[in-house]
Amino acid sequence: MSLRLGAIVDALGGALEGASREAQVHAIAPLQTAGSDALSFLSNPRYQSQLAASQAACVIVGPAMREAALARGACIVAADPYVYFARVTQLWAREHRHEDDQAGIHPSAVVHALAQVHPTARIGPLCVVERGAVIGAHTQLKSRVTVGEHCQLGERCIVHPGVVIGADGFGFAHEAGQWVKIEQLGAVRIGDDVEIGANTCIDRGALGDTVIEDGVKLDNLIQIAHNVHIGRHTAMAGCSAVAGSTKIGAHCTIAGAASIIGHLELADNVHISTNTVVTHSISRPGQYTGVFPMDDNARWEKNAATLRQLHKLRERIKALEQTRKDG
Amino acid sequence: MSLRLGAIVDALGGALEGASREAQVHAIAPLQTAGSDALSFLSNPRYQSQLAASQAACVIVGPAMREAALARGACIVAADPYVYFARVTQLWAREHRHEDDQAGIHPSAVVHALAQVHPTARIGPLCVVERGAVIGAHTQLKSRVTVGEHCQLGERCIVHPGVVIGADGFGFAHEAGQWVKIEQLGAVRIGDDVEIGANTCIDRGALGDTVIEDGVKLDNLIQIAHNVHIGRHTAMAGCSAVAGSTKIGAHCTIAGAASIIGHLELADNVHISTNTVVTHSISRPGQYTGVFPMDDNARWEKNAATLRQLHKLRERIKALEQTRKDG
Amino acid sequence: MSLRLGAIVDALGGALEGASREAQVHAIAPLQTAGSDALSFLSNPRYQSQLAASQAACVIVGPAMREAALARGACIVAADPYVYFARVTQLWAREHRHEDDQAGIHPSAVVHALAQVHPTARIGPLCVVERGAVIGAHTQLKSRVTVGEHCQLGERCIVHPGVVIGADGFGFAHEAGQWVKIEQLGAVRIGDDVEIGANTCIDRGALGDTVIEDGVKLDNLIQIAHNVHIGRHTAMAGCSAVAGSTKIGAHCTIAGAASIIGHLELADNVHISTNTVVTHSISRPGQYTGVFPMDDNARWEKNAATLRQLHKLRERIKALEQTRKDG
């Protein structure tokens, strides 16, 4: 597997310097592990020290690093080296694609006669696409994906194995100590360019639909409950969860294992830290956090025990302050 | 798709007022989004202000709201409007069911010759039902469900896609730095009217069985470890987890992403808040919580740093109190 | 189903006392529930009181418990009774294995012509094994497992239903408010004797590989992100998660629902408590914890509210101390 440097700049722009257009790279690798046949990249100036020492055949750098890169060897100068690197990985994947990645429905998939699958879509092995589901152009269901009745995916979506789109939301009325099922009559509507990680679940709406807007990226093992609405280009990391009817804005990031409870509204550009539990709506952009700091177990035990007395400690401080005032 | 109002009250009781029995509704919708062809409901008196403004063709209300509802238009008066609404969704789903939802084993499912599947059960596409498994009457495995050897499901259960019932529990003995597998020789026994959400896992017992009693409702991506016992009509929300051999009572609710460690016992009517970690047994009904409050990141950082000194702060308060006493 | 006591000690060693080698046991059970046809074990001296009362036909004990055990009835004396018990479960499972557990590829599995599956491996129903994947000797994919392109599993691995090995890691560059996919060009390399629980996900590396060393045990619903490296004989419990490029040492234990953020390094013999969030590297063996202590909801509310003022409380204590000093 290889790419010609000239083919890369022809496809993606940028200026190749210090190497022939005919030179080939046989791998893409980080600066520290790149061999002499590999293309690498420097996106964060913090790692400049790794540049000089790298064995890479060629390094993608920003304009400010051009001199330093040329002092070492060949480089491609690009405005945003990390985005350029991302595009190189796409070029690499495209050049090395197999015929089994072609469009079409794998014979082992179970696709309902009344589902609409675009001819350029790819339905991988052992997927289930139910009645009335719509799969847009160039969208890929990798393998073992379920798309439930009347759920829709837009164009160029990538859905990884084990994903369940359109299972019933978790809705029950309570009657005499028992749960009465609320049938989930809505569906799931997913926009264009959405990527959904392995074993993630997106439930259908109870009455209206669950909505995932264009460009949303969801990692693995995420739970999206019924009637959630996620704004465009929001990204959620693994094991995060959103409870029912919550609306998340555009361009948000939700870090791993964070939870957002139901019936909230988060503004655009809200960033939630790892393992944080969002218990109220957020109207202002910013970074929000709530994580118990890790410690060695013995210290944690002492602090956690004290935490259970925290309100009383506060009363004791108040009393001391009162004494001082009175004294 | 439509339902006749007269057909609804014939099936479910309640008093139809202000509309003809022949009038049709073509949708079920919340008060705020209901169009003039929709049936809606008012279950929480807090939302009474939405009632007057709603375009709904007919609104399900409790007896206390009858006057207010009639002032607006047609209504169905029912003792518990939310339970009535739930039953309407069931009626709706029943009336609009497709022939593909019928009982039977989908040809793509892999069902062992020695599994017992009731003739009224429905085994959906690409399910696996192993040797000796028992699937009760009217139980549905939606698609891509695995039911392991000798595991049993009762009647009228609903199992959503990706569920794994009867994988091995996580049991190992430790010997000279390596793990020695404890074969998991028990099974999983699930009662009647249990619903299990997408990609949820219920492990088989090590020696005895893992038990899920009648009427339990489990949401998506839940982990139930080996030898857990969950009492009847308990409900667990998405991403919650129960470690090995813990016994949860009846009529409990476990909110999303809550964790319960192993070998505990929870009484009936215990309610665990979202993301709470239950580390000791609970013998009294009530609501239990342990969540780090979210804050903006800068404030969180200060408070979290102080939290790591909390025990020392307490000592400082004690010292101050001693000074006061001595002074 | 039964085992002869003589066959057990012939296979596993240990000294059978107080019973005939010809005696049969028909079950393996804990001391408290064992019937008179069952083999049981006492591994923790704390439970010695259960020994005398047990109905078990025979009890596995350590040398120190031999007298107490013989006073009750038959026993097998073994150096480590818990490891011996584990081996008995293995013997039991081996003796009662069905022909459907034999090696080979189930006809419903989708295995690429260019995948390498060892003839002694077992690929269960509805698994997907992609181009270039390698499945080592005696390794079992139970059912509905996906092994992606060029991913490798060693020998004697057990992979439970719903596992996804080799989905794309979650990698994107950010450009003008949108996400640009970084194609994930690495794979997953898994050593020998690794067990992977139901619906767990192990992502392929971005450039290099994600690596799981020999003897690692992963429970259900775990997320292993791209380029993670897990050292040999480390065990992770259900719902735990490791973010990208983190390296975990050998012989670690990660308890349920714990999270480890990306780009960290954990030394060997590090033990992380349940639900703890690891936010920095750990260079020393030990037990590490960070969990908000559960309380009844009313007390939690007061303490959590005070926690949001904790830094200010510390300032107030400082002020009081200053007053004392000045006074």
Side-chain angles (χ1 to χ4, degrees):
Chain A
M1 309 218 291
S2 65
L3 273 180
R4 208 165 42 82
L5 292 176
I8 294 174
V9 290
D10 288 351
L12 306 178
L16 173 64
E17 301 196 50
S20 152
R21 285 175 49 84
E22 299 311 312
Q24 306 258 348
V25 287
H26 296 271
I28 309 173
L31 285 170
Q32 290 186 300
T33 58
S36 61
D37 63 345
L39 177 64
S40 193
F41 64 100
L42 174 65
S43 60
N44 190 330
R46 264 200 301 175
Y47 299 122
Q48 193 185 338
S49 63
Q50 295 176 8
L51 177 63
S54 179
Q55 303 294 314
C58 181
V59 180
I60 305 161
V61 295
M65 291 290 134
R66 178 180 169 275
E67 298 299 319
L70 279 173
R72 192 206 64 92
C75 66
I76 293 171
V77 182
D80 185 330
Y82 196 57
V83 169
Y84 195 96
F85 154 67
R87 293 246 154 76
V88 172
T89 65
Q90 294 178 3
L91 185 64
W92 186 275
R94 217 151 50 224
E95 293 289 320
H96 299 93
R97 189 164 291 164
H98 302 298
E99 72 282 8
D100 16 306
D101 301 325
Q102 284 171 355
I105 297 174
H106 193 276
S108 66
V110 178
V111 177
H112 196 281
L114 297 178
Q116 296 174 47
V117 177
H118 194 276
T120 60
R122 178 173 173 271
I123 310 298
L126 303 170
C127 290
V128 176
V129 181
E130 296 183 352
R131 169 191 289 265
V134 178
I135 313 292
H138 303 289
T139 281
Q140 305 174 45
L141 312 186
K142 293 288 194 176
S143 67
R144 299 200 300 101
V145 168
T146 289
V147 180
E149 268 193 40
H150 299 296
C151 296
Q152 303 180 13
L153 285 110
E155 305 190 352
R156 296 173 304 280
C157 294
I158 300 172
V159 185
H160 288 286
V163 166
V164 179
I165 296 169
D168 280 353
F170 196 63
F172 301 91
H174 201 256
E175 183 185 44
Q178 305 202 10
W179 301 104
V180 181
K181 182 173 175 72
I182 297 167
E183 291 286 343
Q184 304 290 298
L185 304 175
V188 179
R189 276 184 289 132
I190 295 173
D192 297 333
D193 302 299
V194 170
E195 183 159 348
I196 305 174
N199 283 348
T200 280
C201 300
I202 306 175
D203 281 352
R204 65 176 58 246
L207 296 174
D209 293 339
T210 304
V211 177
I212 312 289
E213 293 191 1
D214 293 348
V216 166
K217 309 298 178 186
L218 303 178
D219 197 357
N220 299 348
L221 289 166
I222 289 174
Q223 156 70 351
I224 306 291
H226 52 185
N227 299 100
V228 164
H229 187 121
I230 302 186
R232 63 190 196 288
H233 307 301
T234 281
M236 296 180 60
C239 305
S240 53
V242 189
S245 300
T246 280
K247 187 170 182 184
I248 299 179
H251 303 291
C252 295
T253 58
I254 313 294
S259 286
I260 307 176
I261 72 163
H263 298 276
L264 301 187
E265 192 149 345
L266 273 60
D268 296 347
N269 297 298
V270 163
H271 305 285
I272 303 297
S273 303
T274 182
N275 279 270
T276 294
V277 186
V278 181
T279 52
H280 55 80
S281 290
I282 300 177
S283 57
R284 290 198 313 179
Q287 179 87 30
Y288 296 85
T289 310
V291 181
F292 200 105
M294 181 190 78
D295 212 332
D296 73 60
N297 189 66
R299 274 200 300 265
W300 168 79
E301 275 193 348
K302 280 186 181 177
N303 288 325
T306 309
L307 179 53
R308 296 188 59 172
Q309 309 295 332
L310 187 58
H311 188 67
K312 286 182 189 156
L313 280 189
R314 188 179 168 222
E315 298 304 312
R316 285 160 65 182
I317 294 170
K318 264 195 200 159
L320 285 164
E321 289 168 337
Q322 194 57 42
T323 303
R324 181 180 61 172
K325 216 163 136 192
D326 298 348
Chain B
M1 311 218 290
S2 64
L3 273 179
R4 208 165 42 82
L5 291 175
I8 294 174
V9 291
D10 287 351
L12 307 178
L16 173 64
E17 301 197 50
S20 152
R21 284 177 47 86
E22 300 310 313
Q24 305 260 347
V25 286
H26 297 270
I28 309 172
L31 285 170
Q32 289 186 300
T33 58
S36 61
D37 63 345
L39 177 64
S40 192
F41 64 100
L42 174 65
S43 59
N44 189 330
R46 263 201 303 174
Y47 299 121
Q48 192 184 339
S49 63
Q50 295 175 8
L51 177 62
S54 180
Q55 302 294 314
C58 180
V59 179
I60 305 160
V61 295
M65 291 290 131
R66 179 179 168 276
E67 298 299 319
L70 278 172
R72 192 206 63 94
C75 65
I76 294 172
V77 183
D80 184 331
Y82 197 57
V83 169
Y84 195 94
F85 154 68
R87 293 246 153 75
V88 171
T89 66
Q90 295 178 2
L91 184 63
W92 186 273
R94 215 151 48 223
E95 292 289 320
H96 299 92
R97 189 164 292 167
H98 302 299
E99 73 282 9
D100 16 306
D101 303 324
Q102 282 170 356
I105 298 174
H106 193 276
S108 67
V110 177
V111 177
H112 196 281
L114 297 179
Q116 297 174 46
V117 177
H118 193 276
T120 60
R122 179 174 173 269
I123 310 297
L126 302 170
C127 291
V128 176
V129 181
E130 297 184 352
R131 169 191 289 264
V134 178
I135 313 292
H138 303 290
T139 282
Q140 307 174 42
L141 312 186
K142 292 288 192 175
S143 68
R144 301 199 302 100
V145 169
T146 289
V147 180
E149 270 193 40
H150 299 296
C151 295
Q152 303 180 13
L153 285 110
E155 305 190 352
R156 296 173 303 280
C157 294
I158 301 172
V159 186
H160 289 286
V163 166
V164 179
I165 296 168
D168 280 352
F170 197 61
F172 301 91
H174 201 257
E175 183 186 42
Q178 304 202 11
W179 301 104
V180 181
K181 182 172 176 72
I182 298 167
E183 292 286 344
Q184 304 291 298
L185 304 174
V188 178
R189 276 184 289 133
I190 295 173
D192 297 334
D193 301 299
V194 171
E195 183 159 350
I196 305 174
N199 284 347
T200 280
C201 300
I202 306 174
D203 281 350
R204 64 176 59 245
L207 296 173
D209 292 340
T210 303
V211 177
I212 312 289
E213 293 191 0
D214 292 349
V216 167
K217 309 297 181 187
L218 303 178
D219 196 355
N220 299 349
L221 289 166
I222 289 175
Q223 157 70 351
I224 306 291
H226 51 185
N227 298 101
V228 163
H229 187 120
I230 302 186
R232 62 190 196 287
H233 307 302
T234 281
M236 296 180 59
C239 305
S240 54
V242 188
S245 301
T246 280
K247 187 169 182 184
I248 299 179
H251 303 292
C252 295
T253 57
I254 313 293
S259 286
I260 306 175
I261 72 163
H263 298 275
L264 301 186
E265 193 148 344
L266 273 62
D268 296 349
N269 297 298
V270 163
H271 305 285
I272 304 297
S273 303
T274 181
N275 279 270
T276 295
V277 185
V278 181
T279 52
H280 54 81
S281 291
I282 300 177
S283 57
R284 290 198 312 180
Q287 180 87 30
Y288 296 85
T289 310
V291 180
F292 199 106
M294 182 190 77
D295 212 332
D296 74 60
N297 190 66
R299 274 200 299 265
W300 169 78
E301 273 193 349
K302 280 186 183 177
N303 288 326
T306 309
L307 179 52
R308 296 188 57 171
Q309 309 294 331
L310 187 57
H311 188 68
K312 286 183 190 157
L313 281 188
R314 187 180 170 224
E315 297 304 312
R316 285 159 65 182
I317 294 169
K318 263 195 200 160
L320 286 163
E321 289 168 336
Q322 193 58 40
T323 303
R324 181 180 62 173
K325 215 164 137 193
D326 298 348
Chain C
M1 310 218 291
S2 65
L3 274 179
R4 208 165 42 80
L5 291 176
I8 293 174
V9 292
D10 287 351
L12 307 178
L16 173 63
E17 301 196 49
S20 152
R21 284 175 48 85
E22 300 310 312
Q24 305 259 349
V25 286
H26 296 271
I28 310 174
L31 285 170
Q32 288 186 301
T33 58
S36 61
D37 63 346
L39 176 63
S40 193
F41 65 99
L42 173 64
S43 58
N44 190 331
R46 264 199 302 174
Y47 298 122
Q48 192 185 337
S49 64
Q50 295 176 8
L51 176 63
S54 180
Q55 302 295 313
C58 180
V59 180
I60 305 160
V61 295
M65 291 291 133
R66 178 179 170 275
E67 299 299 318
L70 279 172
R72 190 206 65 93
C75 65
I76 293 172
V77 182
D80 184 331
Y82 197 56
V83 169
Y84 195 95
F85 154 67
R87 293 247 155 74
V88 171
T89 65
Q90 294 178 2
L91 184 64
W92 185 275
R94 217 151 47 225
E95 293 288 320
H96 300 92
R97 188 164 292 164
H98 301 300
E99 72 283 7
D100 17 307
D101 302 325
Q102 283 170 356
I105 298 174
H106 193 276
S108 67
V110 178
V111 177
H112 196 281
L114 296 179
Q116 296 174 47
V117 177
H118 193 277
T120 60
R122 179 172 174 272
I123 311 298
L126 301 171
C127 291
V128 176
V129 181
E130 297 184 354
R131 167 191 291 265
V134 178
I135 312 293
H138 303 290
T139 281
Q140 306 174 43
L141 311 186
K142 293 288 194 176
S143 68
R144 299 198 303 100
V145 169
T146 289
V147 180
E149 268 193 39
H150 299 296
C151 295
Q152 304 180 13
L153 286 111
E155 305 190 352
R156 297 173 303 279
C157 293
I158 301 172
V159 185
H160 289 286
V163 166
V164 180
I165 296 168
D168 280 352
F170 197 61
F172 300 92
H174 201 257
E175 183 185 43
Q178 304 201 12
W179 301 103
V180 181
K181 182 173 175 71
I182 298 168
E183 291 286 344
Q184 304 290 298
L185 304 174
V188 178
R189 275 184 290 133
I190 295 173
D192 297 332
D193 301 299
V194 170
E195 184 159 349
I196 305 174
N199 283 348
T200 281
C201 300
I202 306 175
D203 281 351
R204 64 177 58 246
L207 297 174
D209 292 340
T210 304
V211 177
I212 312 290
E213 293 191 359
D214 292 350
V216 166
K217 308 298 179 187
L218 303 178
D219 197 355
N220 299 349
L221 289 166
I222 289 175
Q223 156 70 352
I224 306 291
H226 51 184
N227 300 99
V228 163
H229 186 119
I230 302 186
R232 60 192 197 287
H233 307 302
T234 281
M236 296 180 59
C239 304
S240 53
V242 189
S245 301
T246 280
K247 187 169 182 185
I248 298 179
H251 303 291
C252 295
T253 58
I254 313 294
S259 285
I260 307 176
I261 73 162
H263 298 276
L264 302 186
E265 193 148 345
L266 272 61
D268 296 348
N269 296 299
V270 162
H271 305 285
I272 304 297
S273 302
T274 182
N275 280 270
T276 295
V277 186
V278 181
T279 52
H280 54 81
S281 291
I282 300 177
S283 56
R284 291 198 312 181
Q287 180 88 30
Y288 296 86
T289 309
V291 180
F292 200 106
M294 182 189 79
D295 213 334
D296 74 59
N297 190 66
R299 273 201 301 263
W300 168 80
E301 274 193 348
K302 280 187 182 176
N303 287 326
T306 309
L307 178 53
R308 295 188 58 172
Q309 309 295 330
L310 187 57
H311 188 68
K312 286 183 189 156
L313 281 189
R314 188 182 169 222
E315 298 303 313
R316 285 159 66 182
I317 294 170
K318 263 195 202 160
L320 286 163
E321 289 168 335
Q322 193 57 39
T323 303
R324 179 181 62 173
K325 216 165 135 191
D326 298 348

